[in-house]
């Protein structure tokens, strides 16, 4: 008489992921869909506002630097040697 081998059933686990504990995940899963979508829309709009503010700030800095560069260009006098630029370096031919 040979006993039949018993098969093991897999057990499903819920584990926390990096940045969120298991309690937080369960809480979010239990939320109503309307509340979840409203929170998502709020987060999206906040991100868009932040991005727009950063872009406008970047444009302002770029305009300031361009204005400063243009101002400095007109007042500076460059001689003939300076206008030509630095002489070319000879390429190494030892290899």
């Amino acid at each position: 008489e040979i006993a039949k081998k018993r098969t093991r059933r897999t057990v499903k686990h819920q584990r926390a992921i990096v940045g969120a504990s298991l309690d937080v995940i369960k809480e979010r899963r239990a939320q109503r869909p309307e509340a979840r979508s409203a929170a998502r829309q709020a987060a999206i709009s906040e991100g868009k506002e932040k991005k727009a503010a950063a872009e406008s700030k970047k444009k302002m800095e770029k305009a300031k630097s361009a204005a400063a560069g243009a101002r400095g260009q007109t007042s500076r006098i460059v001689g003939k040697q300076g206008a030509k630029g630095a002489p070319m370096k000879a390429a190494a031919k030892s290899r």
Side-chain angles (χ1 to χ4, degrees):
E1 294 146 20
I2 302 166
K4 190 177 176 183
K5 268 195 170 179
R6 295 177 72 184
T7 57
R8 288 184 71 122
R9 284 244 171 108
T10 57
V11 181
K12 290 188 178 182
H13 296 293
Q14 277 193 335
R15 290 191 293 183
I17 51 174
V18 178
S21 65
L22 190 59
D23 298 329
V24 173
I25 293 169
K26 284 182 179 177
E27 185 182 307
R28 288 204 182 148
R29 223 178 245 174
Q31 267 184 344
R32 289 183 168 236
E34 301 90 33
R36 195 179 302 129
S37 64
R40 184 168 183 246
Q41 289 297 328
I44 289 170
S45 64
E46 186 181 321
K48 283 183 181 180
E49 286 173 12
K50 207 179 254 187
K51 189 176 180 182
E55 202 156 303
S56 67
K57 187 178 180 185
K58 192 186 277 187
K59 279 185 183 179
M60 291 288 285
E61 286 180 15
K62 195 173 183 183
K64 278 184 181 180
S65 65
R71 200 177 330 125
Q73 236 177 5
T74 56
S75 64
R76 204 172 91 204
I77 300 167
V78 181
K80 275 189 179 178
Q81 291 293 324
K84 276 194 208 173
M88 294 291 288
K89 289 184 178 179
K93 297 178 184 176
S94 61
R95 290 189 203 183

